[in-house]
Amino acid sequence: MASSSILIPPILTRRNLLLSTTIATVSPPPTPKPPSPDITITDRVFLDFSLCPTYFRSDPSATLSSTTPCSDSTPLGRVVLGLYGRHVPITVSTFKRMCTSSSTSYKNTPVHKIFPGKYFLAGRQGGGRRDTAEVGYSLRDLPRNTDVVNSKAFLLPHARAGVVSLCLSENDDDDDTRLDPDYRNVEFLITTGPGPCPQLDGGNIVFGTVLEGLDVVTSISSIPTYKPSENIKQFNDFAEFLGDERAQNARSLWNRPLKTVFISGCGELKVTNPSLSPTLP
């Protein structure tokens, strides 16, 4: 009897099926990059800075004329700023109003802190009921700045000299003042260079750039300031660790200029054609 061969079909397993079957892999579409902030220069304003050689220790939220009038001031020059009105419209609108209004203005307000090689702070007004009574200003008519709760408003970096931003992270106002319903923060900073200030990124709103007068910004940054000794810094750190509120009050005097620099004039300049790319000095 002739033997016959019996063909046994191969057993298909999941592993064999995966190995023998070519599976087309479809890659997910790339995630679109978020649009870049619109840095069209929609407005131009100017700030005239002057130097009063007589040093005075005053409330940084006060105007020069309401404390010690300076009769022998020396002009430092004019700084022209281009503002990004499409990027942060409320911040720009408020800043422009502070430069043009006769009742609420940056005029005669001092540059109250200078950080050499980094930036200087100016335009502090306060805004709570207590500050309004002391300074004589009323910021209550200014709109609440909803840019501060928009994450896209914080995208622009402090990458070079001449960056103008709304001062939030470096603001010395206490919590009680910030919680006042009439509080309006109009303090701003200008980076002085020569390098970037990455420590300011993400905590302050960049809303403009210096178009003219970067040499004036540089001269302001070179003015001597009050610098505490290392012993005072260590004592202050220890007092802060213990929860002593006087530590913060003491730090508010650090980096104050030893000569009074103030905004002697400000106003608006016309923009005929908004510029997509700001021209830097």
Side-chain angles (χ1 to χ4, degrees), residues 85-100:
R86 296 180 184 173
H87 175 48
V88 280
I90 299 179
T91 302
V92 166
S93 175
T94 299
F95 186 82
K96 188 170 66 170
R97 181 171 173 178
M98 293 295 298
C99 291
T100 58

Side-chain angles (χ1 to χ4, degrees), residues 142-174:
L142 295 176
R144 281 197 171 275
N145 192 348
T146 55
D147 290 337
V148 300
V149 295
N150 183 356
S151 60
K152 295 180 180 178
F154 294 85
L155 293 178
L156 291 176
H158 299 74
R160 50 177 170 73
V163 172
V164 186
S165 66
L166 181 66
C167 182
L168 299 174
S169 67
E170 308 305 312
N171 191 300
D172 287 332
D173 290 334
D174 55 40

Side-chain angles (χ1 to χ4, degrees), residues 15-35:
R15 182 173 181 273
N16 291 335
L17 184 62
L18 291 174
L19 291 175
S20 60
T21 305
T22 302
I23 302 176
T25 303
V26 180
S27 300
T31 304
K33 297 178 65 175

Side-chain angles (χ1 to χ4, degrees), residues 102-175:
S102 58
S103 59
T104 305
S105 175
Y106 287 131
K107 185 176 181 180
N108 288 331
T109 57
V111 172
H112 59 276
K113 282 193 176 184
I114 300 173
F115 298 84
K118 297 178 181 179
Y119 57 92
F120 65 78
L121 305 179
R124 186 177 182 185
Q125 304 277 326
R129 294 184 179 88
R130 178 191 60 190
D131 292 324
T132 300
E134 291 179 357
V135 180
Y137 280 128
S138 175
L139 303 181
R140 302 175 188 178
D141 293 336
L142 295 176
R144 281 197 171 275
N145 192 348
T146 55
D147 290 337
V148 300
V149 295
N150 183 356
S151 60
K152 295 180 180 178
F154 294 85
L155 293 178
L156 291 176
H158 299 74
R160 50 177 170 73
V163 172
V164 186
S165 66
L166 181 66
C167 182
L168 299 174
S169 67
E170 308 305 312
N171 191 300
D172 287 332
D173 290 334
D174 55 40
D175 292 338

Side-chain angles (χ1 to χ4, degrees), residues 70-254:
C70 186
S71 58
D72 55 347
S73 61
T74 303
L76 293 177
R78 171 167 293 188
V79 177
V80 177
L81 308 178
L83 309 181
Y84 307 146
R86 296 180 184 173
H87 175 48
V88 280
I90 299 179
T91 302
V92 166
S93 175
T94 299
F95 186 82
K96 188 170 66 170
R97 181 171 173 178
M98 293 295 298
C99 291
T100 58
S101 174
S102 58
S103 59
T104 305
S105 175
Y106 287 131
K107 185 176 181 180
N108 288 331
T109 57
V111 172
H112 59 276
K113 282 193 176 184
I114 300 173
F115 298 84
K118 297 178 181 179
Y119 57 92
F120 65 78
L121 305 179
R124 186 177 182 185
Q125 304 277 326
R129 294 184 179 88
R130 178 191 60 190
D131 292 324
T132 300
E134 291 179 357
V135 180
Y137 280 128
S138 175
L139 303 181
R140 302 175 188 178
D141 293 336
L142 295 176
R144 281 197 171 275
N145 192 348
T146 55
D147 290 337
V148 300
V149 295
N150 183 356
S151 60
K152 295 180 180 178
F154 294 85
L155 293 178
L156 291 176
H158 299 74
R160 50 177 170 73
V163 172
V164 186
S165 66
L166 181 66
C167 182
L168 299 174
S169 67
E170 308 305 312
N171 191 300
D172 287 332
D173 290 334
D174 55 40
D175 292 338
D176 290 340
T177 300
R178 292 171 185 261
L179 292 175
D180 191 305
D182 292 326
Y183 175 72
R184 301 293 187 269
N185 179 21
V186 292
E187 184 177 356
F188 65 93
L189 63 86
I190 300 179
T191 58
T192 61
C197 293
Q199 71 274 22
L200 300 176
D201 295 347
N204 304 277
I205 297 178
V206 175
F207 65 90
T209 185
V210 173
L211 298 178
E212 301 174 22
L214 195 58
D215 57 325
V216 179
V217 172
T218 302
S219 66
I220 293 175
S221 69
S222 65
I223 293 174
T225 61
Y226 169 70
K227 298 178 181 179
S229 65
E230 287 301 319
N231 289 338
I232 292 178
K233 288 182 179 180
Q234 293 175 6
F235 181 79
N236 186 273
D237 291 341
F238 182 68
E240 184 181 21
F241 175 76
L242 296 178
D244 192 333
E245 295 180 354
R246 291 174 296 179
Q248 181 178 357
N249 295 333
R251 285 199 306 273
S252 67
L253 297 176
W254 300 359

